[in-house]
Amino acid sequence: MSTNQRFVIDTNVLLVSISRKSQYHRVFEALLNQEFDLAVTSDILSEYEEVISEKYSVLVSRNVIRALLLLPNVIRTEVYYNWNLIRDDRDDDKFVDCAVASNADAIVTHDRHFNILKSIPFPQITILTISEFEAVLNKRK
């Protein structure tokens, strides 16, 4: 059983962390080095695959998804209840549902639609920016 903190990473954050040239590559490296657990659902993996192939290539997308499926710190999560909390972008609800179902410590995102969660008392979900998440990772080192 892992003692790592568990996070859900929004597609926008994963996307900007993949490239070695990115200032946020530390996040992807930390994932590969198993410094935290990543909770995902099939819907999240599908979105990752689609967006990465659009922004990079199908080959990069396949390699990233393959790596995620093989990493022991990537936790496949089943969602049994849809909270429907992100009114402005229903497509983002999959990340909230995954966070609740996996008992994640936080969702890492730059998407302003998630700000609504700060005003919802239940379920309580912490939102971190990529910079805040990097600070969490650096404290663990």
Side-chain angles (χ1 to χ4, degrees):
M1 189 78 181
S2 172
T3 59
N4 284 342
Q5 286 184 284
R6 183 171 295 176
F7 297 93
V8 174
I9 295 184
D10 191 10
T11 307
N12 58 28
V13 172
L14 182 66
L15 189 66
V16 299
S17 71
I18 293 170
S19 172
R20 289 174 199 239
K21 296 175 185 175
S22 170
Q23 70 185 57
Y24 302 114
H25 187 62
R26 164 87 176 94
V27 170
F28 195 66
E29 281 181 334
L31 174 61
L32 296 176
N33 293 331
Q34 302 175 32
E35 295 176 37
F36 67 93
D37 290 346
L38 173 67
V40 296
T41 62
S42 296
D43 286 345
I44 290 172
L45 288 171
S46 294
E47 181 171 307
Y48 285 173
E49 185 174 25
E50 178 184 334
V51 173
I52 293 167
S53 22
E54 286 172 6
K55 300 295 182 190
Y56 289 99
S57 70
V58 171
L59 180 62
V60 170
S61 176
R62 284 185 187 149
N63 287 336
V64 168
I65 298 303
R66 185 176 301 118
L68 293 179
L69 293 173
L70 293 174
L71 285 169
N73 57 315
V74 174
I75 312 302
R76 297 289 300 264
T77 304
E78 286 295 325
V79 170
Y80 295 101
Y81 184 79
N82 299 106
W83 289 89
N84 298 315
L85 298 177
I86 310 289
R87 292 185 203 103
D88 291 339
D89 188 352
R90 291 293 183 199
D91 201 38
D92 288 335
D93 279 321
K94 67 177 144 290
F95 298 98
V96 174
D97 296 339
C98 180
V100 173
S102 68
N103 198 27
D105 292 281
I107 297 173
V108 184
T109 185
H110 276 300
D111 189 331
R112 61 181 169 72
H113 294 130
F114 287 89
N115 289 338
I116 185 107
L117 299 176
K118 295 173 184 173
S119 65
I120 296 173
F122 184 85
Q124 206 164 38
I125 301 167
T126 301
I127 302 300
L128 297 176
T129 65
I130 196 166
S131 300
E132 292 167 334
F133 183 54
E134 284 180 317
V136 168
L137 292 174
N138 291 335
K139 281 182 192 172
R140 295 197 59 162
K141 271 194 135 180

